[in-house]
Amino acid sequence: MIRNISVKFIIGFFLIFSLSFLVLNQTVKESIQTSNKKIVTSELIGLKNNSNIYVRQAFLINHFSNNRLYFGQMAEEMANDLNHATGSSVGVYTVDGALLYSSDKSIPHLNGDLKEAIEGKTAYSITYDRNKASVLFSYPVFIDGTKVGILRFSRDFSLLYEQSGRIKEIIFYIAMAIFAAAFLFSYILSRHITIPLVRLTRASNEVKSGNLEVRIQFRRKDEIGRLADNFNEMIDQIGRQMTIIRKDRDHLQALHEQEKRFFDNITHELKTPLTSILGYAEIIRKKGEADRYFFEKGMNHIIEESRRLHDMVLKLLEASRPNIQIMEPERVDAGSIFKDVCESMGIRAQRYKKSIRYEIQNELIVYGQGNRLRQLFINLLDNSIKYSTDQAEIFVTAKRADTKIQFVFSNPSDPIETDQIANLFQPFNLGNRQVSEEGSVGLGLSISKSIVDEHGGNIRMTNENNQTIVTVELEYMNVRKDGKPI
């Protein structure tokens, strides 16, 4: 299509310039011809007036009464005198067109101008012979209202027409040069416009085929240059949008896989204790208390599995709860709550042959919900216990850091890939870590993050040198002596 536009440009310019050249050439030609006719007519009128004066004077001097007879008698003298006076060949004719005398025998006798003069009209005809142009001029001579004869002049206008021809030739070549230059300029201009359009078309075809690496570089500051810049910016924008779409697609796929793993895990985790509870319950119903040892063992197992199911359901409900604050926030001594949780979770750590060591500053006041902060500390300590190495010592600290309060949980662990750390805060994500306790479905860190977000803080995890460190930062609240925040 662009090539057709280029051809149309060239054909259009050619037709316009050709037509304009022909019109100009014809106009100049007609103007010169009109000018030449005016010059010829003017000279012939002057020639006629001078000749008439000469004839009238001749008749007046001699007082001839028979005008036609005298006109014939003085034909030779009159022709020669007028020939010398006007520089033109002169022919003298009777009123009927019969030749009386001619100073130039080569003048054709009968012609259109002579016929017009016989009829009483003044006329002339132009004859072209190679580079020569001659005019035959005839008119009737009247003396006292009587037609006495016809004078016919042959005058050479070759110089006039030769000059006119040179002028036409010069104008022709000048016009040819001007139009050739204009056509060349138009051709270059059309290519200056169409070549970038061709490149833009090819680039757009590349983009249509999926190639977003194509770029167009024009060293131009005009509209086409700006069009190329806009085209490149458009491709960059499309590339950025495609990147976002790919990331969203990958994220959705990951969420889908994560959700599938969660339902597989939760189905397994719910099915296993329910099967065990159902089995023990059926046997106990059959045997009753006949086998006291089995009865006690079965009841303990049922209670233990029921508690585990209860905890699992609570965590699922916590993960699905909307992020709204059910209780009004208040002044809370987070350090005191944190210390109490560390002491209570120390017993759980001993069950796994692990220990908790803590350092907690006093007066760590925050503005929030005490029960939610307690749940936060329990989840993070429980996570440290479950995912630390065997016989590990878990070290936790709580201290002021400028306007923040930092809670740091550090425990030795297996290495965790950097790209997996961020995903661990998403619901139902266990990463590639080995679960050290049955019933874990990857909700602890997700619940912890939601609690931190509720309190306007931030939480982050790092893993370096086989050491996992979780840091929670909350805003420190300054209080006055009356207990109100400053």
Side-chain angles (χ1 to χ4, degrees), residues 160-195:
L160 173 64
Y161 281 90
E162 183 180 348
Q163 290 176 345
S164 301
R166 284 198 298 267
I167 292 173
K168 286 194 294 185
E169 186 176 355
I170 291 171
I171 293 175
F172 175 83
Y173 287 119
I174 291 175
M176 179 71 75
I178 291 173
F179 285 117
F183 180 78
L184 180 61
F185 173 77
S186 301
Y187 173 74
I188 294 173
L189 179 63
S190 67
R191 287 185 58 81
H192 191 64
I193 295 173
T194 56
I195 287 177

Side-chain angles (χ1 to χ4, degrees), residues 347-364:
I347 299 173
R348 177 172 172 81
Q350 291 176 7
R351 176 184 170 188
Y352 293 92
K353 297 180 181 181
K354 299 177 184 180
S355 61
I356 298 176
R357 183 165 62 90
Y358 56 87
E359 293 181 1
I360 302 173
Q361 292 181 356
N362 296 324
E363 296 296 324
L364 301 180

Side-chain angles (χ1 to χ4, degrees), residues 277 301-312:
I277 290 171
H301 187 80
I302 289 172
I303 292 171
E304 218 175 273
E305 291 296 313
S306 297
R307 284 176 178 171
R308 190 155 72 88
L309 282 172
H310 179 263
D311 291 340
M312 190 184 305

Side-chain angles (χ1 to χ4, degrees), residues 22-215:
L22 292 175
V23 170
L24 177 63
N25 189 52
Q26 186 63 27
T27 302
V28 170
K29 182 178 179 180
E30 290 180 358
S31 298
I32 291 176
Q33 287 178 348
T34 302
S35 177
N36 289 344
K37 287 181 179 179
K38 288 181 179 180
I39 294 173
V40 170
T41 302
S42 177
E43 289 196 16
L44 293 180
I45 290 174
L47 181 63
K48 177 181 178 181
N49 292 334
N50 293 331
S51 300
N52 281 336
I53 293 172
Y54 170 81
V55 173
R56 288 176 183 276
Q57 288 178 347
F59 271 81
L60 289 173
I61 292 172
N62 294 283
H63 301 286
F64 286 100
S65 59
N66 192 339
N67 294 333
R68 292 186 180 182
L69 179 62
Y70 177 71
F71 189 80
Q73 292 175 353
M74 61 179 298
E76 181 178 356
E77 180 183 358
M78 186 168 44
N80 291 328
D81 289 342
L82 289 176
N83 176 255
H84 291 296
T86 62
S88 303
S89 299
V90 182
V92 182
Y93 296 83
T94 65
V95 293
D96 297 325
L99 179 62
L100 297 173
Y101 181 82
S102 175
S103 62
D104 186 356
K105 304 301 182 183
S106 63
I107 298 176
H109 178 57
L110 290 176
N111 211 325
D113 60 294
L114 185 58
K115 292 179 180 179
E116 294 282 338
I118 294 171
E119 295 176 0
K121 301 177 182 178
T122 300
Y124 71 88
S125 62
I126 301 175
T127 303
Y128 299 97
D129 183 13
R130 296 182 181 180
N131 296 328
K132 293 182 179 182
S134 60
V135 175
L136 293 175
F137 174 55
S138 302
Y139 71 92
V141 179
F142 290 89
I143 300 297
D144 297 330
T146 302
K147 184 177 179 182
V148 297
I150 296 174
L151 287 179
R152 193 180 191 205
F153 295 86
S154 174
R155 191 174 184 87
D156 186 11
F157 283 92
S158 298
L159 181 60
L160 173 64
Y161 281 90
E162 183 180 348
Q163 290 176 345
S164 301
R166 284 198 298 267
I167 292 173
K168 286 194 294 185
E169 186 176 355
I170 291 171
I171 293 175
F172 175 83
Y173 287 119
I174 291 175
M176 179 71 75
I178 291 173
F179 285 117
F183 180 78
L184 180 61
F185 173 77
S186 301
Y187 173 74
I188 294 173
L189 179 63
S190 67
R191 287 185 58 81
H192 191 64
I193 295 173
T194 56
I195 287 177
L197 293 179
V198 171
R199 291 181 60 186
L200 280 169
T201 301
R202 292 174 180 171
S204 63
N205 289 334
E206 290 287 331
V207 174
K208 184 176 69 174
S209 301
N211 181 14
L212 297 180
E213 300 300 324
V214 62
R215 294 294 183 275

Side-chain angles (χ1 to χ4, degrees), residues 426-485:
Q426 297 180 3
F428 323 126
N429 197 308
L430 293 170
N432 294 327
R433 302 184 300 180
Q434 296 294 326
V435 180
S436 58
E437 182 182 63
E438 293 183 0
S440 177
V441 290
L443 295 172
L445 287 177
S446 174
I447 294 173
S448 299
K449 186 177 186 306
S450 66
I451 296 173
V452 172
D453 291 340
E454 288 174 9
H455 287 76
N458 63 78
I459 183 172
R460 61 182 180 273
M461 176 186 291
T462 59
N463 184 273
E464 297 178 358
N465 300 322
N466 295 333
Q467 192 80 10
T468 298
I469 301 174
V470 177
T471 303
V472 175
E473 288 186 342
L474 300 176
E475 289 288 337
Y476 173 72
M477 186 183 76
N478 292 325
V479 296
R480 300 184 306 198
K481 290 183 180 180
D482 58 2
K484 294 183 179 179

Side-chain angles (χ1 to χ4, degrees), residues 183-323:
F183 180 78
L184 180 61
F185 173 77
S186 301
Y187 173 74
I188 294 173
L189 179 63
S190 67
R191 287 185 58 81
H192 191 64
I193 295 173
T194 56
I195 287 177
L197 293 179
V198 171
R199 291 181 60 186
L200 280 169
T201 301
R202 292 174 180 171
S204 63
N205 289 334
E206 290 287 331
V207 174
K208 184 176 69 174
S209 301
N211 181 14
L212 297 180
E213 300 300 324
V214 62
R215 294 294 183 275
I216 300 176
Q217 298 297 332
F218 291 147
R219 295 180 180 177
R220 299 172 60 158
K221 300 298 183 181
D222 56 6
E223 289 79 0
I224 292 180
R226 290 194 291 272
L227 177 62
D229 293 338
N230 292 339
F231 179 84
N232 293 335
E233 180 61 29
M234 179 183 67
I235 300 304
D236 292 338
Q237 184 67 23
I238 292 174
R240 289 191 291 269
Q241 293 297 326
M242 291 297 294
T243 301
I244 293 173
I245 291 172
R246 283 193 290 268
K247 288 182 178 178
D248 290 344
R249 179 199 61 194
D250 296 340
H251 181 65
L252 289 174
Q253 289 178 349
L255 287 177
H256 177 72
E257 294 175 358
Q258 178 181 327
E259 184 180 4
K260 185 178 182 301
R261 287 197 303 270
F262 162 71
F263 282 109
D264 291 344
N265 290 337
I266 202 65
T267 301
H268 172 74
E269 296 299 336
L270 290 174
K271 180 181 178 181
T272 300
L274 286 174
T275 302
S276 179
I277 290 171
L278 181 62
Y280 273 104
E282 288 178 349
I283 295 173
I284 290 173
R285 187 177 64 177
K286 289 179 180 180
K287 294 184 177 182
E289 298 184 11
D291 187 343
R292 191 67 188 177
Y293 172 78
F294 184 81
F295 179 81
E296 293 291 340
K297 179 181 177 182
M299 291 302 295
N300 289 334
H301 187 80
I302 289 172
I303 292 171
E304 218 175 273
E305 291 296 313
S306 297
R307 284 176 178 171
R308 190 155 72 88
L309 282 172
H310 179 263
D311 291 340
M312 190 184 305
V313 171
L314 287 179
K315 286 186 177 181
L316 287 171
L317 292 175
E318 178 65 28
S320 61
R321 71 187 291 273
N323 283 333

